[in-house]
Coordinates of all heavy atoms in Angstrom, one line a residue:
M1 N -22.2 9.2 6.0 CA -21.8 9.5 4.6 C -22.0 8.3 3.7 O -21.9 7.2 4.2 CB -20.5 10.1 4.5 CG -20.4 11.6 5.1 SD -18.9 12.4 4.7 CE -17.8 11.7 5.8
T2 N -22.2 8.5 2.4 CA -22.5 7.5 1.5 C -21.2 6.9 1.0 O -20.3 7.5 0.6 CB -23.2 8.0 0.3 OG1 -24.4 8.7 0.7 CG2 -23.6 6.9 -0.6
K3 N -21.2 5.5 1.0 CA -20.1 4.8 0.4 C -20.3 4.6 -1.1 O -21.4 4.5 -1.5 CB -20.0 3.3 1.1 CG -19.5 3.4 2.6 CD -19.5 2.0 3.0 CE -19.1 2.0 4.6 NZ -19.1 0.6 5.1
Y4 N -19.2 4.6 -1.8 CA -19.3 4.4 -3.3 C -18.5 3.1 -3.7 O -17.4 2.9 -3.1 CB -18.8 5.5 -4.1 CG -19.8 6.6 -4.2 CD1 -20.2 7.4 -3.1 CD2 -20.4 6.9 -5.4 CE1 -21.1 8.4 -3.2 CE2 -21.4 7.9 -5.6 CZ -21.7 8.6 -4.5 OH -22.7 9.6 -4.6
V5 N -18.9 2.4 -4.6 CA -18.2 1.2 -5.0 C -17.8 1.3 -6.5 O -18.5 1.7 -7.4 CB -19.1 -0.1 -4.9 CG1 -20.5 0.0 -5.6 CG2 -18.4 -1.4 -5.2
C6 N -16.6 0.8 -6.7 CA -16.1 0.8 -8.1 C -16.7 -0.3 -8.9 O -16.7 -1.5 -8.4 CB -14.6 0.5 -8.1 SG -13.8 0.4 -9.7
I7 N -17.4 0.0 -10.0 CA -18.1 -1.1 -10.7 C -17.2 -1.9 -11.6 O -17.6 -3.0 -12.1 CB -19.2 -0.4 -11.6 CG1 -18.6 0.5 -12.6 CG2 -20.2 0.3 -10.8 CD1 -19.6 1.1 -13.6
V8 N -15.9 -1.6 -11.6 CA -14.9 -2.5 -12.3 C -14.3 -3.5 -11.5 O -14.4 -4.6 -11.8 CB -13.9 -1.5 -13.0 CG1 -12.8 -2.4 -13.7 CG2 -14.5 -0.5 -14.0
C9 N -13.9 -3.1 -10.3 CA -13.2 -4.1 -9.4 C -13.8 -4.3 -8.1 O -13.3 -5.2 -7.4 CB -11.7 -3.5 -9.3 SG -11.5 -2.2 -8.1
G10 N -14.7 -3.5 -7.7 CA -15.4 -3.8 -6.4 C -14.9 -3.0 -5.2 O -15.3 -3.2 -4.1
Y11 N -13.8 -2.3 -5.5 CA -13.3 -1.4 -4.4 C -14.3 -0.5 -3.8 O -15.1 0.1 -4.6 CB -12.1 -0.5 -4.9 CG -11.6 0.5 -4.0 CD1 -10.8 0.2 -2.9 CD2 -12.0 1.9 -4.1 CE1 -10.4 1.2 -2.1 CE2 -11.6 2.8 -3.3 CZ -10.7 2.5 -2.2 OH -10.3 3.5 -1.4
I12 N -14.4 -0.4 -2.5 CA -15.4 0.5 -1.9 C -14.7 1.7 -1.3 O -13.8 1.6 -0.4 CB -16.2 -0.3 -0.8 CG1 -17.0 -1.4 -1.4 CG2 -17.1 0.6 0.0 CD1 -17.7 -2.3 -0.4
Y13 N -15.2 2.9 -1.7 CA -14.7 4.1 -1.1 C -15.5 4.4 0.1 O -16.7 4.6 0.0 CB -14.7 5.3 -2.0 CG -14.2 6.6 -1.3 CD1 -12.9 6.8 -1.1 CD2 -15.1 7.4 -0.8 CE1 -12.5 7.9 -0.3 CE2 -14.8 8.6 -0.2 CZ -13.4 8.8 0.1 OH -13.0 9.9 0.8
D14 N -14.9 4.4 1.4 CA -15.6 4.7 2.5 C -15.2 6.1 3.0 O -14.0 6.3 3.3 CB -15.2 3.7 3.6 CG -16.0 3.9 4.9 OD1 -16.6 4.9 5.1 OD2 -15.9 3.0 5.7
P15 N -16.1 7.1 3.0 CA -15.7 8.5 3.3 C -15.1 8.6 4.8 O -14.3 9.5 5.0 CB -17.1 9.2 3.3 CG -17.9 8.4 2.4 CD -17.5 6.9 2.6
E16 N -15.5 7.7 5.6 CA -15.0 7.8 7.0 C -13.5 7.3 7.0 O -12.8 7.6 8.0 CB -15.8 6.8 8.0 CG -17.2 7.3 8.1 CD -18.0 6.5 9.1 OE1 -17.4 5.6 9.8 OE2 -19.2 6.6 9.2
V17 N -13.1 6.6 6.0 CA -11.7 6.2 6.0 C -10.8 7.0 5.1 O -9.7 7.3 5.3 CB -11.6 4.8 5.5 CG1 -10.1 4.3 5.3 CG2 -12.3 3.8 6.5
G18 N -11.5 7.5 4.0 CA -10.7 8.2 2.9 C -9.8 7.3 2.1 O -10.0 6.1 2.1
D19 N -8.8 7.9 1.5 CA -7.8 7.2 0.8 C -6.4 7.8 1.0 O -6.0 8.7 0.2 CB -8.2 7.2 -0.7 CG -7.1 6.4 -1.6 OD1 -6.3 5.7 -1.0 OD2 -7.1 6.6 -2.8
A20 N -5.8 7.3 2.1 CA -4.5 7.9 2.5 C -3.4 7.9 1.4 O -2.7 8.9 1.3 CB -4.1 7.2 3.8
D21 N -3.4 6.8 0.7 CA -2.4 6.7 -0.4 C -2.5 7.8 -1.4 O -1.5 8.1 -2.1 CB -2.5 5.3 -1.0 CG -2.0 4.2 0.0 OD1 -1.3 4.6 1.0 OD2 -2.3 3.1 -0.3
S22 N -3.7 8.3 -1.6 CA -4.0 9.3 -2.6 C -4.1 10.7 -2.0 O -4.5 11.7 -2.6 CB -5.2 9.0 -3.5 OG -5.0 7.8 -4.2
G23 N -3.8 10.8 -0.6 CA -4.0 12.1 0.0 C -5.4 12.5 0.3 O -5.6 13.7 0.6
I24 N -6.3 11.6 0.3 CA -7.7 11.9 0.6 C -7.9 11.7 2.1 O -7.8 10.6 2.6 CB -8.6 11.0 -0.2 CG1 -8.3 11.1 -1.7 CG2 -10.1 11.4 0.1 CD1 -8.5 12.5 -2.3
K25 N -8.2 12.7 2.9 CA -8.3 12.6 4.3 C -9.6 12.0 4.7 O -10.6 12.0 4.0 CB -8.2 14.0 4.9 CG -6.9 14.7 4.7 CD -7.0 16.2 5.2 CE -5.7 16.9 5.0 NZ -5.8 18.3 5.4
P26 N -9.5 11.2 5.8 CA -10.8 10.6 6.4 C -11.8 11.7 6.6 O -11.5 12.9 7.0 CB -10.3 10.1 7.8 CG -8.8 9.8 7.6 CD -8.4 10.9 6.7
G27 N -13.1 11.4 6.3 CA -14.2 12.4 6.4 C -14.5 13.1 5.1 O -15.3 14.0 5.1
T28 N -13.7 12.8 4.0 CA -13.9 13.4 2.7 C -15.1 12.7 1.9 O -14.9 11.5 1.6 CB -12.7 13.4 1.8 OG1 -11.6 14.0 2.6 CG2 -12.8 14.1 0.5
A29 N -16.1 13.4 1.7 CA -17.3 12.8 0.9 C -16.8 12.5 -0.5 O -15.9 13.2 -1.1 CB -18.5 13.8 0.8
F30 N -17.3 11.4 -1.1 CA -16.9 11.1 -2.4 C -17.1 12.3 -3.5 O -16.3 12.5 -4.3 CB -17.8 9.9 -3.0 CG -17.4 9.4 -4.3 CD1 -16.3 8.4 -4.4 CD2 -18.1 9.7 -5.5 CE1 -15.9 7.9 -5.6 CE2 -17.6 9.2 -6.7 CZ -16.6 8.3 -6.8
E31 N -18.1 13.1 -3.3 CA -18.4 14.2 -4.1 C -17.2 15.2 -4.1 O -17.1 16.0 -5.0 CB -19.7 14.9 -3.8 CG -20.9 14.0 -4.1 CD -21.2 13.0 -3.0 OE1 -20.5 12.8 -2.1 OE2 -22.2 12.2 -3.2
D32 N -16.6 15.2 -2.9 CA -15.5 16.2 -2.7 C -14.1 15.8 -3.1 O -13.1 16.5 -3.0 CB -15.5 16.7 -1.2 CG -16.8 17.3 -0.8 OD1 -17.4 17.9 -1.7 OD2 -17.2 17.3 0.4
I33 N -14.0 14.5 -3.5 CA -12.7 14.1 -4.0 C -12.4 14.8 -5.3 O -13.3 15.0 -6.2 CB -12.7 12.6 -4.3 CG1 -13.1 11.8 -2.9 CG2 -11.4 12.0 -4.9 CD1 -13.3 10.3 -3.1
P34 N -11.1 15.2 -5.6 CA -10.7 15.8 -6.8 C -11.1 15.0 -8.1 O -11.0 13.7 -8.0 CB -9.3 16.0 -6.8 CG -9.0 16.1 -5.3 CD -10.0 15.1 -4.6
D35 N -11.5 15.6 -9.1 CA -11.9 14.8 -10.4 C -10.9 14.0 -11.0 O -11.1 13.1 -11.7 CB -12.6 15.8 -11.3 CG -13.9 16.3 -10.9 OD1 -14.6 15.6 -10.1 OD2 -14.3 17.4 -11.4
D36 N -9.6 14.2 -10.6 CA -8.5 13.4 -11.2 C -8.1 12.3 -10.3 O -7.2 11.5 -10.6 CB -7.3 14.3 -11.5 CG -6.7 15.0 -10.2 OD1 -7.3 14.8 -9.1 OD2 -5.7 15.7 -10.2
W37 N -8.8 12.0 -9.3 CA -8.6 10.9 -8.4 C -9.1 9.6 -9.2 O -10.0 9.7 -10.0 CB -9.5 11.0 -7.1 CG -9.4 9.8 -6.2 CD1 -8.5 9.7 -5.3 CD2 -10.3 8.8 -6.1 NE1 -8.7 8.5 -4.6 CE2 -9.8 7.9 -5.1 CE3 -11.5 8.4 -6.8 CZ2 -10.5 6.7 -4.7 CZ3 -12.2 7.2 -6.4 CH2 -11.7 6.4 -5.3
V38 N -8.3 8.6 -9.0 CA -8.6 7.3 -9.6 C -8.7 6.2 -8.6 O -8.2 6.2 -7.4 CB -7.6 6.9 -10.7 CG1 -7.6 7.9 -11.8 CG2 -6.2 6.7 -10.1
C39 N -9.4 5.1 -9.0 CA -9.5 4.0 -8.1 C -8.2 3.4 -7.7 O -7.4 3.2 -8.6 CB -10.4 2.9 -8.8 SG -10.5 1.4 -7.9
P40 N -7.9 3.3 -6.4 CA -6.5 2.8 -6.0 C -6.3 1.3 -6.3 O -5.2 0.9 -6.3 CB -6.6 3.1 -4.4 CG -8.1 3.1 -4.1 CD -8.8 3.7 -5.3
M41 N -7.4 0.6 -6.7 CA -7.3 -0.8 -7.0 C -7.0 -1.1 -8.5 O -6.1 -1.8 -8.9 CB -8.5 -1.6 -6.5 CG -8.7 -1.6 -5.0 SD -7.6 -2.8 -4.2 CE -8.3 -4.3 -4.7
C42 N -7.8 -0.3 -9.3 CA -7.7 -0.7 -10.8 C -7.5 0.6 -11.6 O -7.3 0.4 -12.8 CB -9.0 -1.4 -11.2 SG -10.5 -0.3 -11.2
G43 N -7.6 1.8 -11.1 CA -7.1 2.9 -11.8 C -8.2 3.7 -12.6 O -7.8 4.6 -13.4
V44 N -9.4 3.3 -12.6 CA -10.4 3.9 -13.3 C -10.9 5.2 -12.6 O -10.6 5.4 -11.5 CB -11.7 3.1 -13.6 CG1 -11.3 1.8 -14.4 CG2 -12.4 2.7 -12.3
G45 N -11.6 6.1 -13.4 CA -11.9 7.4 -12.8 C -13.2 7.3 -12.0 O -13.9 6.3 -11.9
K46 N -13.5 8.6 -11.5 CA -14.7 8.6 -10.5 C -16.0 8.2 -11.2 O -17.0 7.9 -10.6 CB -14.9 10.0 -10.0 CG -13.8 10.4 -9.0 CD -14.0 11.8 -8.4 CE -15.2 12.0 -7.6 NZ -15.4 13.3 -7.1
D47 N -16.1 8.4 -12.6 CA -17.3 8.1 -13.3 C -17.6 6.6 -13.3 O -18.7 6.2 -13.8 CB -17.2 8.6 -14.8 CG -16.1 8.1 -15.6 OD1 -15.2 7.5 -14.9 OD2 -16.1 8.2 -16.8
Q48 N -16.7 5.8 -12.8 CA -16.9 4.3 -12.8 C -17.3 3.9 -11.4 O -17.4 2.7 -11.2 CB -15.6 3.6 -13.2 CG -15.2 3.8 -14.7 CD -16.2 3.4 -15.7 OE1 -16.7 2.3 -15.7 NE2 -16.6 4.4 -16.5
F49 N -17.7 4.8 -10.6 CA -18.2 4.5 -9.2 C -19.7 4.7 -9.2 O -20.2 5.6 -9.8 CB -17.5 5.4 -8.2 CG -16.1 4.8 -7.8 CD1 -15.1 4.9 -8.7 CD2 -15.9 4.2 -6.6 CE1 -13.8 4.5 -8.4 CE2 -14.6 3.7 -6.3 CZ -13.6 3.8 -7.1
E50 N -20.3 4.0 -8.3 CA -21.8 4.2 -8.1 C -22.0 4.0 -6.6 O -21.2 3.4 -5.8 CB -22.7 3.3 -8.9 CG -22.5 1.8 -8.6 CD -23.3 0.9 -9.5 OE1 -23.7 1.4 -10.6 OE2 -23.5 -0.2 -9.2
K51 N -23.1 4.6 -6.1 CA -23.5 4.5 -4.7 C -23.7 3.1 -4.3 O -24.3 2.3 -5.1 CB -24.8 5.3 -4.4 CG -24.6 6.8 -4.5 CD -25.9 7.4 -4.1 CE -25.7 9.0 -4.2 NZ -26.9 9.7 -3.8
E52 N -23.1 2.7 -3.1 CA -23.3 1.3 -2.7 C -24.8 1.1 -2.2 O -25.3 1.9 -1.7 CB -22.3 1.0 -1.5 CG -22.3 -0.4 -1.1 CD -21.5 -0.6 0.2 OE1 -21.6 0.2 1.1 OE2 -20.8 -1.7 0.2
Ligands
LIG1 ZN1 -11.6 -0.1 -9.3

């Protein structure tokens, strides 16, 4: 699956890991994350991410 990187802070969303702190289970593709999810590092929205 494709990793996505936050263009503001450099946080990388890895679908194989997910984001446990936000309730995103491992194996969740970036496209399937709820639209109200925000970057766990800097708090920007999904529109500030691009494919790594
Ligand atoms: Zn960020």
